[in-house]
Amino acid sequence: QVQLVESGGGLVQPGGSLRLSCAASGFTFSNNAMTWVRQAPGKGLEWVSDISSGGSRTFYADSVKGRFTISRDNAKNTLYLQMNSLKPEDTAVYYCAKDFRFPASSWNGPRSQGTQVTVSS
């Protein structure tokens, strides 16, 4: 059974940083590309970033490019999202996800429990 357990959210001031972690189990993590998605208050699910199974290829939404970094440690079955230069518009519940497919609005695959990230002064 796929399990994705996330940690690391919280409240941060604009310009600050947070690091999210997602511990995976129940499947062969190193064989799977992984994704971060988010859902802001009153809005639909938004794709944030992808990473290939080996970690060599990464992709970012324009809204976070240059500020967020996705990475993974296949030895630890863990996915990360380093978020720098955070903006109020980054406020959302963040999820790590397996088997993500566009469009985000209709995707309902395996995901973590979600962690709240709030960017506010």
Side-chain angles (χ1 to χ4, degrees), residues 60-101:
Y60 298 94
D62 287 345
S63 58
V64 307
K65 198 173 295 181
R67 301 187 297 119
F68 289 12
T69 302
I70 189 172
S71 63
R72 64 192 297 160
D73 185 337
N74 284 345
K76 295 183 178 179
N77 286 353
T78 303
L79 178 72
Y80 302 100
L81 185 69
Q82 177 67 44
M83 304 184 293
N84 298 331
S85 302
L86 282 160
K87 304 176 180 180
E89 51 263 43
D90 295 317
T91 295
V93 177
Y94 285 72
Y95 303 89
C96 62
K98 178 182 179 290
D99 299 332
F100 176 79
R101 296 291 182 270

Side-chain angles (χ1 to χ4, degrees), residues 12-69:
V12 64
Q13 292 187 339
S17 298
L18 282 174
R19 189 194 198 200
L20 305 183
S21 299
C22 176
S25 61
F27 64 102
T28 306
F29 182 73
S30 59
N31 287 352
N32 285 266
M34 295 294 293
T35 302
W36 288 98
V37 295
R38 67 186 182 184
Q39 188 162 20
K43 296 189 176 180
L45 200 64
E46 176 189 14
W47 172 75
V48 174
S49 181
D50 276 341
I51 187 167
S52 61
S53 58
S56 62
R57 290 174 296 161
T58 57
F59 308 89
Y60 298 94
D62 287 345
S63 58
V64 307
K65 198 173 295 181
R67 301 187 297 119
F68 289 12
T69 302

